[in-house]
Amino acid sequence: MRSFMYTVKAPVGMHARHAGLLVQEAKKYASGVTMTLGERSADAKRILGLMGLGVKQGDVVKLTVEGEDEDEAALKLKAFMWENF
Protein backbone atom coordinates (compact mmCIF):
# COMPACT_ATOMS: atom_id res chain seq x y z
CA MET A 1 0.00 0.00 0.00
CA ARG A 2 1.25 3.48 -0.93
CA SER A 3 -0.18 6.77 0.24
CA PHE A 4 0.59 10.46 0.10
CA MET A 5 -0.87 13.71 1.39
CA TYR A 6 -1.70 16.65 -0.84
CA THR A 7 -2.87 20.18 -0.03
CA VAL A 8 -5.40 21.33 -2.62
CA LYS A 9 -4.26 24.57 -4.22
CA ALA A 10 -6.96 25.00 -6.87
CA PRO A 11 -9.09 28.06 -6.01
CA VAL A 12 -12.30 26.13 -6.74
CA GLY A 13 -11.24 23.03 -4.80
CA MET A 14 -12.44 19.83 -6.46
CA HIS A 15 -15.43 20.64 -8.64
CA ALA A 16 -16.94 18.30 -11.23
CA ARG A 17 -14.35 18.88 -13.96
CA HIS A 18 -11.42 18.26 -11.61
CA ALA A 19 -13.08 15.21 -10.08
CA GLY A 20 -13.76 13.81 -13.56
CA LEU A 21 -10.12 14.23 -14.54
CA LEU A 22 -8.97 12.44 -11.38
CA VAL A 23 -11.43 9.58 -12.01
CA GLN A 24 -10.09 9.17 -15.55
CA GLU A 25 -6.52 9.09 -14.27
CA ALA A 26 -7.29 6.65 -11.43
CA LYS A 27 -9.08 4.27 -13.80
CA LYS A 28 -5.84 3.79 -15.77
CA TYR A 29 -4.55 1.57 -12.95
CA ALA A 30 -5.61 -1.82 -11.65
CA SER A 31 -4.96 -0.74 -8.07
CA GLY A 32 -7.70 0.63 -5.87
CA VAL A 33 -7.40 4.37 -5.17
CA THR A 34 -9.03 6.00 -2.16
CA MET A 35 -9.17 9.69 -1.30
CA THR A 36 -9.62 10.62 2.35
CA LEU A 37 -10.59 14.01 3.78
CA GLY A 38 -10.82 14.00 7.56
CA GLU A 39 -12.91 11.02 8.61
CA ARG A 40 -14.55 10.54 5.20
CA SER A 41 -13.19 8.47 2.31
CA ALA A 42 -14.23 7.90 -1.29
CA ASP A 43 -13.26 5.62 -4.15
CA ALA A 44 -11.25 7.86 -6.51
CA LYS A 45 -12.65 5.92 -9.47
CA ARG A 46 -16.19 7.17 -8.74
CA ILE A 47 -17.01 10.81 -9.42
CA LEU A 48 -19.99 11.03 -7.06
CA GLY A 49 -17.90 9.80 -4.16
CA LEU A 50 -15.23 12.40 -4.82
CA MET A 51 -17.79 15.17 -5.18
CA GLY A 52 -19.38 14.07 -1.91
CA LEU A 53 -16.18 14.80 -0.02
CA GLY A 54 -16.60 18.53 -0.70
CA VAL A 55 -12.86 19.20 -1.08
CA LYS A 56 -12.03 22.91 -0.95
CA GLN A 57 -8.89 24.97 -1.50
CA GLY A 58 -6.50 24.46 1.41
CA ASP A 59 -7.88 21.05 2.39
CA VAL A 60 -5.33 18.31 2.95
CA VAL A 61 -6.37 15.05 1.32
CA LYS A 62 -4.76 11.64 1.54
CA LEU A 63 -4.62 9.37 -1.48
CA THR A 64 -4.07 5.68 -0.80
CA VAL A 65 -3.20 3.29 -3.60
CA GLU A 66 -3.31 -0.46 -3.07
CA GLY A 67 -2.87 -3.23 -5.62
CA GLU A 68 -0.63 -4.83 -8.18
CA ASP A 69 0.58 -1.59 -9.80
CA GLU A 70 0.51 0.60 -6.69
CA ASP A 71 4.07 1.92 -7.03
CA GLU A 72 3.57 3.28 -10.53
CA ALA A 73 0.02 4.45 -9.81
CA ALA A 74 1.03 6.36 -6.68
CA LEU A 75 3.86 8.16 -8.50
CA LYS A 76 1.68 9.08 -11.47
CA LEU A 77 -1.28 10.16 -9.33
CA LYS A 78 0.94 12.34 -7.16
CA ALA A 79 2.30 14.07 -10.27
CA PHE A 80 -1.24 14.40 -11.59
CA MET A 81 -2.40 16.08 -8.39
CA TRP A 82 0.48 18.58 -8.52
CA GLU A 83 -0.33 19.46 -12.15
CA ASN A 84 -4.11 19.73 -11.78
CA PHE A 85 -5.04 20.66 -8.22
Side-chain angles (χ1 to χ4, degrees):
M1 175 173 40
R2 302 282 182 236
S3 62
F4 62 91
M5 306 294 279
Y6 180 77
T7 302
V8 177
K9 294 168 182 53
V12 294
M14 184 176 298
H15 60 78
R17 187 177 69 80
H18 283 116
L21 292 172
L22 179 56
V23 168
Q24 287 177 349
E25 186 67 21
K27 284 185 174 182
K28 292 178 181 178
Y29 306 101
S31 295
V33 182
T34 304
M35 179 180 280
T36 304
L37 175 64
E39 297 296 316
R40 298 178 303 157
S41 295
D43 182 347
K45 295 183 180 184
R46 304 190 63 103
I47 193 167
L48 292 178
L50 291 177
M51 296 296 299
L53 291 176
V55 177
K56 296 178 179 28
Q57 183 182 32
D59 286 345
V60 178
V61 296
K62 179 180 180 181
L63 266 78
T64 304
V65 184
E66 187 170 7
E68 61 190 62
D69 57 357
E70 65 188 30
D71 293 327
E72 176 188 3
L75 286 173
K76 297 281 177 99
L77 287 166
K78 188 173 188 175
F80 177 83
M81 294 296 287
W82 276 98
E83 291 173 13
N84 295 283
F85 294 98

